[in-house]
Amino acid sequence: MRRVLVALLALALLGAGAVLGARHWLVSEARARAAQALADLRSCLLGGGLAPGERASARLRAVGLGVAPGDDWPGRCSEHAAELDDALDSPWVAGEVAPGAPARALVESEPEGRAAMADALFARLEACDLPPATPRVTPAPPPARPIFAAARPEPLRPEVPPLASLALDTVGRDRVRLLLPGTRELCSLAPPLAEASCRELAPELELGEGTRFARAAPEAPDLLLTRQGLFDAATGQRVFRPAAPALAQAAVRADGLVAILDAEPREGRAPRAGGEGPERLRLVRFAPGRPATSQRLPGSEGASAWLDDLGLVWWPAVGGRASTWPLGAGERGAAGELASGGRAVASCELLGRRLVLVAASGATSVLVRGRRGATSFAVGAGGPSAELALGCGADAALVVHRRGAQIDAERCTVDGVCGPVVHAWRLPADAEVAAVAALGDEVLVAYVRAELGLRVRIGAPLALAAARDQVLFDTAREGGLDVEALRVAVVGDAAVLLVRDRGLGLHVLRVDRRGVRPFKLLGTRPARG
């Protein structure tokens, strides 16, 4: 009998051990399954573990900013969220996890609701002390934290009119001029140093719609064309009163010689505001201490024109070759064929020549200027409703063209040898505001993605699609900007990016391959008394 009791006790002990062992195995398996599901979801959503003190919501937002267009993130994490929810529903681990929203709710939520859910979910799961596991999934994209996330720079000015109405131009390879009519200031931007200095305009100047700069050589004075005439920006003194101020152009050389292109209507006909009509052009030139000279330009009725410190080029409204006229002594010359009815939209310097981009509804041309004359050639990029940009690299020019979402580029030498048009990139469907520029040999695209902030992409035409965005500002809801408009000017090897925020005014940023930084305002000089 005693032996029977001993045997029964041994069987009971073995049974209890088996039950305890089975329970331990089931708990271990359930915890391992939950740990694996957590590792997979963490990798898919966050890209990996969090650093000490890092919040899951901050990592989640940074990953979201870096997601490339077309990437189904975080939707592609739904499967791993479901596996984690199923693992946590197991009775063997359910008691270890504090109650809370399921992981699937985080993945399927709208962006504005994810922050609090992410912090709560990962905080309660990390508290479970699950065993480590190696993720088996494709990780999240690398996080892209905004450059100005920690400290938003002060705007250059708190209030500005629409960017399209601002007078903006480049002088040489190291200066950009910006006219702020609301505050009556002329700002000089030096991209190499990311420094800006402004000065108040003379009170005599009457600024209005259409005010613009006279094109200037480096070291030349700043002159402004208004509806009342051509004025010295520093003194407010009127230099010249054109017959047709709305159509006039002006240029000033470093030696002080000033040239004004004016439209001279035929007798009994007023100049047309659109620049088309029977007007004949006249070129007025004067130097300090010398009387002005005025010359009518034969065959210039209804012509288009470009005037700068190198001289004048004009081309007929219908057919024919372009003509040149130097600002100093010299004779009229030929400049080849240009797009009929076209308008000059951009210029840059290449190998001692000045290139001017001329756009028309059906064609795009490049005018090549030199001290001894000019030539021209046609390019393939362009067409109706196009946003065009021109940039000069070390040995070639780049013509960039955006129509709608499509961005194309074409590389041309100074001799007019152009490569094929490259379909460089297409803006994502959620792009709300965009501006393009040619930065040397590369294309620069500044754009805003809905709910994903302001960013810049830079790359050679064939590499632009694979380039990674630099995120500048998050959305206003996330402490960034509410961008209303963008505008870009390129000078030298850098771009000046104007950003108009709906509530905070005008931000001015220097952008190049090395990074992005805001312009520092050195001060504002008062107007001369």
Side-chain angles (χ1 to χ4, degrees):
M1 185 66 179
R2 183 177 181 182
R3 290 181 180 179
V4 172
L5 292 175
V6 171
L8 291 174
L9 179 61
L11 288 174
L13 290 175
L14 288 174
V19 169
L20 291 175
R23 186 182 188 285
H24 177 76
W25 180 85
L26 290 172
V27 170
S28 297
E29 284 295 303
R31 285 172 55 82
R33 182 184 171 211
Q36 184 64 62
L38 174 60
D40 290 345
L41 182 64
R42 185 195 293 120
S43 178
C44 185
L45 278 180
L46 307 180
L50 299 173
E54 184 181 12
R55 297 175 66 90
S57 56
R59 173 74 70 83
L60 191 70
R61 181 61 184 172
V63 170
L65 293 175
V67 172
D71 188 338
D72 182 27
W73 182 96
R76 58 184 170 90
C77 302
S78 296
E79 177 185 351
H80 312 303
E83 290 176 353
L84 178 60
D85 288 338
D86 290 344
L88 296 179
D89 283 342
S90 168
W92 305 110
V93 295
E96 300 183 30
V97 183
R104 278 171 292 193
L106 169 62
V107 174
E108 296 169 0
S109 65
E110 295 298 322
E112 57 269 20
R114 289 176 188 156
M117 294 179 65
D119 288 336
L121 174 68
F122 285 98
R124 66 189 181 90
L125 290 179
E126 298 298 341
C128 297
D129 193 27
L130 295 171
T134 302
R136 305 166 300 185
V137 302
T138 302
R145 293 177 175 83
I147 293 174
F148 301 111
R152 184 172 57 196
E154 290 294 320
L156 184 71
R157 287 293 178 262
E159 295 182 8
V160 290
L163 293 188
S165 67
L166 296 183
L168 176 72
D169 81 341
T170 61
V171 179
R173 295 184 61 83
D174 58 5
R175 183 179 174 221
V176 173
R177 298 184 295 183
L178 174 64
L179 182 65
L180 302 175
T183 55
R184 297 184 57 80
E185 292 174 295
L186 191 160
C187 295
S188 181
L189 310 176
L193 301 175
E195 293 177 345
S197 59
C198 300
R199 71 164 181 259
E200 297 176 353
L201 297 172
E204 297 84 357
L205 270 171
E206 296 183 19
L207 303 179
E209 185 178 354
T211 299
R212 56 204 182 277
F213 290 105
R215 298 184 183 100
E219 310 303 327
D222 295 318
L223 303 181
L224 289 173
L225 267 169
T226 75
R227 291 186 178 275
Q228 286 71 43
L230 180 66
F231 291 84
D232 186 313
T235 65
Q237 179 182 359
R238 180 157 46 201
V239 177
F240 184 79
R241 185 195 292 270
L247 305 178
Q249 299 182 45
V252 55
R253 296 195 317 200
D255 61 5
L257 185 145
V258 177
I260 301 99
L261 179 68
D262 200 5
E264 182 181 69
R266 292 178 178 174
E267 188 174 352
R269 299 288 295 272
R272 297 186 183 179
E276 299 176 356
E279 294 81 14
R280 178 168 54 187
L281 302 179
R282 65 170 177 149
L283 183 64
V284 179
R285 292 172 287 189
F286 55 89
R290 295 185 180 182
T293 63
S294 178
Q295 293 174 292
R296 294 174 176 173
L297 308 181
S300 62
E301 289 84 356
S304 301
W306 171 275
L307 176 66
D308 59 23
D309 59 294
L310 293 183
L312 169 69
V313 178
W314 78 96
W315 55 99
V318 181
R321 296 176 66 82
S323 301
T324 64
W325 205 307
L327 295 191
E331 299 296 330
R332 171 181 172 179
E337 298 283 346
L338 287 173
S340 297
R343 58 187 179 86
V345 296
S347 67
C348 64
E349 309 286 334
L350 175 63
L351 301 176
R353 310 279 186 89
R354 180 169 299 162
L355 277 60
V356 180
L357 189 64
V358 178
S361 59
T364 305
S365 307
V366 174
L367 173 68
V368 182
R369 305 285 309 283
R371 293 291 177 185
R372 297 184 179 181
T375 59
S376 65
F377 58 87
V379 296
S385 305
E387 177 187 352
L388 288 162
L390 176 70
C392 290
D395 58 0
L398 190 66
V399 179
V400 178
H401 160 225
R402 178 172 80 93
R403 182 166 51 227
Q406 183 60 45
I407 299 172
D408 298 334
E410 183 176 7
R411 189 175 184 272
C412 299
T413 69
V414 75
D415 299 318
V417 179
C418 298
V421 176
V422 175
H423 301 303
W425 190 48
R426 189 171 182 84
L427 286 166
D430 61 353
E432 297 181 324
V433 183
V436 299
L439 187 59
D441 296 321
E442 297 182 305
V443 180
L444 181 150
V445 184
Y447 71 109
V448 177
R449 291 186 66 186
E451 305 296 335
L452 294 175
L454 171 62
R455 55 205 47 231
V456 168
R457 176 177 293 223
I458 302 174
L462 290 174
L464 187 64
R468 183 167 169 78
D469 288 347
Q470 299 179 68
V471 180
L472 309 187
F473 292 95
D474 207 331
T475 62
R477 189 184 66 243
E478 300 290 341
L481 297 183
D482 185 8
V483 179
E484 183 179 52
L486 300 170
R487 194 169 170 187
V488 184
V490 174
V491 57
D493 61 354
V496 175
L497 175 61
L498 305 184
V499 182
R500 186 177 189 229
D501 178 85
R502 286 182 174 88
L504 299 175
L506 176 67
H507 288 269
V508 184
L509 307 173
R510 180 191 190 277
V511 182
D512 65 7
R513 264 296 183 187
R514 295 180 293 275
V516 181
R517 54 177 169 156
F519 274 81
K520 178 183 179 182
L521 181 60
L522 301 181
T524 301
R525 291 178 289 166
R528 295 184 185 178

